[in-house]
Amino acid sequence: MRLADLETAVGAVLEAVDDAYCVDLARRLVRTPSVYRPDDPGANESAVAALVAAELRALSLDVRVEEAAPGRPNVVGDWTGEGAGPLLILEGHSDVVTEGDSAAWSVPPFGGIVSDGRLYGRGAADMKGGVAAAIAAVRAIREAGVGLPGRLRVAVVADEEGMMLGIKSFIRNGWAKDACGAIICEPEANDVCLVQKGALRAIARFRGKMAHGAMPKSGVNPIPASAVFVQQIQALERRYLMRHGAHPLLGEPSVTPTVVRAGDLVQLNVIPQDATVGVDVRTIPGQDHSEIRRDLDEAVAAAASGIPACRGALEVIEERPWTETPRDAAIVGAVERACRRVQGRPPRHRGVPGATDGTFLHAWGGVPIVTIGPGDVTIPHQIDEFVRVGDLVEAARIFAAAACYCLGGAPHDLR
Ligand SMILES: [Zn+2]
């Protein structure tokens, strides 16, 4: 589109954003609990997925509902513009973490109460607010009837807070194919995030031989091996920090022992057979995950070798690469231009400390991602979670304008 036409179209779309609709939808989403509890067949994302699917159908989107796992559906809704053009994904997750102790909340965690310009409730920020803003953005584009080319795909997937089965299934089913970019609508205070830490979770297991504590030589104690392993990984952390330093937006890489388990406190006279150490590694751009795996393997082997007849093994249970979106990706220019237009100032940048669905869209799907959405960065998973109504409706405008700039082919702003 001609730039002047595109800016006019963006103006019409921004006018068409319906704040009341956006807030009402966010409230309805919060009131539909979607905590996944494996032991409770009714506690999953299916009710909220049904709500999202109905909402997208009401907007005449082409909607598919697919189970990522039993009772855990993904919702994919496509809006098709006028003529061929890029495909942009607006992505969010439907699950929320547990509310914890309801009595500790000052509001009902699933009440969707709006008070003092804030919507309260579990998932208000992480990330039913972002999902509502994305849907409100597509609704505004549709209502404005501005004749954009290309396609918008709203993806609301399950299990982000767990093993990310939803986004993995979405990618495997081909939904990320040919996307020019994705906006991950996570709570980042409506700041632009182009970098994200990676993660690697591993379990080191040391096996010895049970014995009586009075006759330690008759057994093989795996505990000293696990202690040496903990020291080894602390040394690894220092090495990574020396080599890579701190990232300006993401901070330092880390290698953290998070679980140590061996023996039984009521059996202090027993040398246990097994000792286990859980490790949570967080990486920054430039680190090589395959090298980290090798380093951890070597640390296990070295720790076990210090105890005759002790065996050690490392199991990597999840690997989430760090991501760094190139600044010249079309989606970056589109989102930054949208921020300037909606926020009336240059966009602020930050980095995402944890993994998101965007990790896999980027790493497995090869889709350039920008993470931006309403809600304070530290509020997710807390008691009295909230999102400011002002941030919510600002996000809807940013998403709507970014979608227009992305589909309409706006050139990059000069910075
Ligand atoms: Zn989230």
Side-chain angles (χ1 to χ4, degrees):
M1 284 173 85
R2 274 184 43 231
L3 194 54
D5 297 340
L6 183 54
E7 292 294 358
T8 308
V10 171
V13 167
L14 292 178
E15 278 289 302
V17 173
D18 184 337
D19 293 353
Y21 170 82
C22 183
V23 176
D24 178 65
L25 177 56
R27 295 181 76 175
R28 285 187 285 136
L29 291 169
V30 170
R31 285 180 188 149
T32 311
S34 53
V35 180
Y36 176 62
R37 303 185 213 270
D39 300 331
D40 178 351
N44 52 40
E45 298 91 338
S46 46
V48 83
L51 195 166
V52 169
E55 208 61 36
L56 296 179
R57 284 195 186 103
L59 299 178
S60 310
L61 269 61
D62 183 10
V63 178
R64 310 286 171 82
V65 178
E66 300 177 338
E67 287 205 325
R72 315 195 68 186
N74 287 344
V75 183
V76 184
D78 279 8
W79 173 87
T80 304
E82 292 175 18
L87 165 66
L88 173 66
I89 298 172
L90 298 172
E91 199 271 352
H93 60 83
S94 52
D95 57 325
V96 294
V97 296
T98 175
E99 71 280 23
D101 177 10
S102 298
W105 287 63
S106 55
V107 291
F110 300 103
I113 286 172
V114 176
S115 164
D116 292 333
R118 294 170 169 195
L119 164 61
Y120 285 91
R122 175 56 79 227
D126 188 14
M127 59 173 287
K128 288 171 169 174
V131 168
I135 295 173
V138 176
R139 183 177 184 268
I141 289 171
R142 181 178 164 273
E143 308 246 304
V146 287
L148 287 167
R151 277 179 300 157
L152 292 174
R153 175 166 294 158
V154 178
V156 181
V157 304
D159 192 42
E160 193 270 350
E161 303 288 2
M163 294 302 283
M164 302 193 178
L165 298 175
I167 198 66
K168 289 171 179 172
S169 153
F170 175 89
I171 297 165
R172 270 198 302 272
N173 292 348
W175 295 110
K177 219 170 142 268
D178 302 327
C180 76
I183 299 177
I184 313 302
C185 310
E186 290 272 9
E188 298 295 346
N190 287 341
D191 293 344
V192 175
C193 303
L194 304 182
V195 287
Q196 182 163 17
K197 269 189 174 173
L200 201 144
R201 289 181 200 162
I203 299 171
R205 292 191 174 86
F206 298 93
R207 171 148 290 189
K209 183 169 169 259
M210 250 179 116
H212 197 298
M215 294 163 280
K217 294 275 192 296
S218 65
V220 176
N221 193 345
I223 290 176
S226 69
V228 170
F229 176 72
V230 170
Q231 290 175 331
Q232 296 256 3
I233 62 174
Q234 286 180 305
L236 274 182
E237 181 180 80
R238 288 192 291 275
R239 202 164 92 206
Y240 297 156
L241 187 57
M242 290 273 283
R243 194 186 302 162
H244 298 278
H247 186 279
L249 294 174
L250 295 173
E252 298 177 352
S254 57
V255 182
T256 309
T258 49
V259 179
V260 177
R261 202 166 280 169
D264 186 335
L265 283 172
V266 297
Q267 302 262 284
L268 295 184
N269 58 348
V270 176
I271 291 172
Q273 176 180 262
D274 296 300
T276 309
V277 181
V279 191
D280 184 354
V281 184
R282 301 292 169 147
T283 58
I284 60 175
Q287 288 187 275
D288 178 351
H289 277 215
S290 56
E291 189 186 319
I292 294 169
R293 280 169 174 261
R294 277 199 302 279
D295 290 343
L296 291 174
D297 271 329
E298 282 172 18
V300 168
S305 72
I307 311 291
C310 176
R311 283 175 293 139
L314 183 86
E315 182 191 2
V316 174
I317 55 167
E318 175 77 343
E319 191 177 350
R320 299 172 173 181
W322 48 264
T323 71
E324 187 169 37
T325 306
R327 296 210 70 140
D328 61 357
I331 182 63
V332 176
V335 171
E336 294 194 338
R337 201 179 187 107
C339 286
R340 277 170 204 275
R341 171 123 189 200
V342 172
Q343 296 172 319
R345 56 167 168 77
R348 280 193 297 251
H349 288 86
R350 67 169 72 240
V352 183
T356 66
D357 286 335
T359 300
F360 289 101
L361 274 177
H362 187 284
W364 290 11
V367 179
I369 55 165
V370 177
T371 310
I372 179 170
D376 289 358
V377 179
T378 54
I379 199 71
H381 306 191
Q382 290 195 25
I383 279 167
D384 287 346
E385 180 179 344
F386 69 91
V387 65
R388 280 182 207 84
V389 169
D391 293 348
L392 187 58
V393 299
E394 182 182 82
R397 286 181 174 74
I398 293 170
F399 298 158
C404 293
Y405 288 132
C406 187
L407 267 46
H412 263 260
D413 281 327
L414 292 174
R415 274 176 280 268

